[in-house]
């Protein structure tokens, strides 16, 4: 996964940690399932879900920010003054 495509620059470090944590948890879950230790696998699956939730939230933040910037760029491209758009947004 190219982290820069999915997460804000400010979130890259945390997203990278969660990404590798998720991969490690997936591997551990597979090992525990193969060994028949289903209880441990189940508990790790909760950790995996939480890690995926954190990554999804950060990814959503990037998507929303990108959409916002796209709308601003469309306004400017259609002739709206950047200064006016900025003043309307930030008062």
């Amino acid at each position: 996964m190219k982290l820069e495509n999915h997460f804000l620059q400010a979130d890259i470090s945390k997203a990278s940690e969660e990404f590798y944590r998720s991969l490690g948890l997936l591997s551990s879950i597979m090992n525990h399932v193969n060994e028949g230790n289903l209880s441990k696998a189940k508990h790790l699956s909760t950790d995996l879900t939480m890690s995926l939730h954190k990554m999804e939230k950060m990814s959503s933040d990037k998507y929303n920010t990108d959409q916002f910037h796209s709308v601003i760029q469309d306004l400017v491209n259609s002739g709206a003054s950047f200064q006016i758009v900025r003043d309307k947004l930030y008062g």
Side-chain angles (χ1 to χ4, degrees):
M1 173 190 300
K2 221 172 159 89
L3 297 177
E4 298 81 18
N5 292 342
H6 300 277
F7 305 103
L8 294 170
Q9 191 62 40
D11 291 336
I12 294 288
S13 177
K14 182 66 175 163
S16 178
E17 289 176 26
E18 293 300 334
F19 176 74
Y20 288 107
R21 180 176 293 124
S22 294
L23 293 180
L25 287 165
L26 280 169
S27 178
S28 293
I29 290 167
M30 287 179 13
N31 289 337
H32 286 294
V33 168
N34 282 332
E35 293 168 2
N37 190 350
L38 301 178
S39 179
K40 181 65 175 174
K42 180 180 74 172
H43 291 295
L44 290 175
S45 74
T46 302
D47 294 340
L48 175 60
T49 299
M50 292 180 70
S51 189
L52 291 170
H53 175 76
K54 290 175 186 176
M55 285 194 299
E56 190 276 332
K57 169 71 171 88
M58 288 185 280
S59 181
S60 180
D61 291 346
K62 166 98 164 88
Y63 174 80
N64 291 334
T65 298
D66 288 349
Q67 288 297 104
F68 174 76
H69 288 160
S70 177
V71 167
I72 297 301
Q73 190 60 50
D74 288 347
L75 287 170
V76 170
N77 289 344
S78 68
S81 163
F82 178 75
Q83 184 67 34
I84 291 171
V85 171
R86 191 181 75 182
D87 289 348
K88 292 288 183 188
L89 289 173
Y90 302 110

